[in-house]
Amino acid sequence: MSDFDETVISGVIGHMNGDHTDDNLLIARAFGYPEATASTMTGLTGEHGCWNVVDAAGEHELCVPWPAGRITERPQIRREVVLLYREACKRLGVEPRAEHEAPQHLPGQGGAEHPHGSGDAAHGGAHPQGGHGHGHAAHAGSNPHPAPAQDGPVAFSAEIRSGSWSDHSDSEGAGFMEGIMRGRGTREDYVALAVQHYFMYEALEESAAKFEQDARFAGFHSDDLERMAALEEDLVFLIGDDWRERIEPTPATAAYAARIREVADEGWLPGLVAHHYTRYLGDLSGGQMIARRVGKQFGFERAGISFYDFSSLGDLAEFKDRYRAELDALGETLDQAERDRVLAEVRAAYRFNTDVFGDLARAKAAN
């Protein structure tokens, strides 16, 4: 029996496989598989974290004990993952990112500390969508864990990664995604997810087109990123030629798409980047594991999972580094109030995504 609720586990896995794929690989290489080419977090208990590791010899399961010993509280998970990351960097001779300086509480000092601040709503409790009534304010009581003090300003990409941690972990519908990621979901579950992706990306790519002449957006978006053609190909394969007449968004997906379009209609480029970041980087990171699992489970080769094929981008790690550099450059043009507003929109995007999983889980339960 797990020490943590399945929704907590799934939220942490989603965060690690979405925003911290490079960290997963470092941990795998440092703790037993020095030639690892891929590493995906698959689970955690109070004793250890587990990863699926790929190297030239095949796939392996790697479980690494938490540095501070057994943990029992959700806030301790982040601390232990950071400690594992830092130990991996030490073993491999890699300089750790500034956002992951040593935690303020040393291992063994208990661990009741909460990484999300004093309980205020994010950034003063302001609605991340400016009061437009979509019902997805950032979580109360989950103020982002502040980056440690350091010389110079915090990189914007680091601020976003650190500040949105809690939003990955609060996922009431995360069990739906966990079923897919662990190979327990049905073909119908996967098709339902693909359908929602269609409506999300339809809104996102229509909105992105409105900023194609803005030089600040050029470094974020390219033809190689666009997913609509691949989604249409997948849906023909998964549903049939009449797929357009047979699909509809869930209420949460419709609200999500409406918010993306609203941001674009306002001309708020940094806000659109917030949605662009959460969707594309998540799907090209953790999505690679989904494609492998689903492909193996249902015998898909390309058709059905072409949505997750980002090979035209080249090396995905290098692409993500360039993308984060663009985020940092954008952040340098924003004052702190605007940076906070963008982070709130990132957190709102994660919440929209969580609500979609909730809708899908409820629909599955009703059938």
Side-chain angles (χ1 to χ4, degrees), residues 28-347:
R29 289 174 175 172
F31 291 95
Y33 297 96
E35 303 302 320
T37 58
S39 176
T40 305
M41 193 174 197
T42 57
L44 63 93
T45 71
E47 304 289 345
H48 52 242
C50 294
W51 285 260
N52 177 264
V53 181
V54 179
D55 64 11
E59 293 192 19
H60 317 275
E61 182 179 24
L62 169 68
C63 290
V64 186
W66 300 126
R70 182 175 175 77
I71 60 176
T72 58
E73 302 292 333
R74 188 183 74 176
Q76 295 172 304
I77 299 172
R78 183 182 193 278
R79 182 194 67 187
E80 296 307 307
V81 171
V82 170
L83 288 172
L84 274 186
Y85 164 76
R86 289 182 57 78
E87 176 61 23
C89 289
K90 181 179 177 180
R91 294 188 182 196
L92 297 174
V94 174
E95 185 70 22
R97 292 192 304 277
E99 73 198 82
H100 287 330
E101 293 292 343
Q104 294 177 355
H105 293 75
L106 296 175
Q109 286 188 330
E113 76 277 11
H114 195 293
H116 304 309
S118 62
D120 297 328
H123 310 296
H127 193 293
Q129 294 149 12
H132 290 289
H134 292 290
H136 297 278
H139 300 297
S142 56
N143 196 48
H145 182 59
Q150 60 181 26
D151 294 333
V154 177
F156 195 37
S157 60
E159 187 176 332
I160 289 173
R161 279 199 303 269
S162 178
S164 61
W165 170 272
S166 65
D167 301 277
H168 290 275
S169 302
D170 294 325
S171 182
E172 64 187 67
F176 180 87
M177 275 306 298
E178 183 185 14
I180 292 176
M181 294 173 73
R182 294 192 177 187
R184 298 199 301 258
T186 65
R187 188 180 189 277
E188 290 73 23
D189 293 340
Y190 177 70
V191 173
L193 179 65
V195 167
Q196 302 316 307
H197 280 155
Y198 174 82
F199 292 107
M200 295 172 193
Y201 277 92
E202 179 183 46
L204 185 56
E205 293 182 1
E206 286 177 2
S207 297
K210 295 183 178 182
F211 294 94
E212 62 184 3
Q213 300 303 317
D214 192 320
R216 296 174 299 165
F217 193 52
F220 291 103
H221 196 75
S222 71
D223 291 344
D224 290 327
L225 266 181
E226 295 190 349
R227 297 292 91 195
M228 288 299 289
L231 279 165
E232 291 174 2
E233 176 185 335
D234 286 345
L235 292 174
V236 168
F237 175 81
L238 294 168
I239 298 175
D241 291 338
D242 61 343
W243 62 270
R244 292 181 189 274
E245 288 73 48
R246 297 170 60 188
I247 67 171
E248 62 181 10
T250 73
T253 300
Y256 190 1
R259 177 56 189 166
I260 292 171
R261 291 188 170 101
E262 183 176 38
V263 167
D265 289 344
E266 290 173 1
W268 183 30
L269 173 63
L272 183 68
V273 169
H275 290 280
H276 196 276
Y277 162 80
T278 55
R279 283 253 55 92
Y280 284 109
L281 260 65
D283 287 327
L284 70 81
S285 298
Q288 303 311 298
M289 183 186 77
I290 294 174
R292 287 196 297 272
R293 289 290 174 87
V294 169
K296 182 177 181 180
Q297 184 178 1
F298 302 118
F300 299 162
E301 294 184 2
R302 172 179 168 80
I305 53 174
S306 60
F307 167 72
Y308 296 105
D309 181 5
F310 288 88
S311 57
S312 60
L313 289 173
D315 186 283
L316 295 186
E318 291 179 3
F319 172 81
K320 286 183 285 186
D321 286 344
R322 293 195 301 272
Y323 193 103
R324 289 172 183 140
E326 292 292 336
L327 274 178
D328 294 340
L330 176 64
E332 290 174 1
T333 70
L334 309 176
D335 62 23
Q336 191 58 52
E338 182 69 353
R339 285 164 70 112
D340 288 350
R341 187 181 174 212
V342 173
L343 174 56
E345 194 70 28
V346 168
R347 301 183 74 206

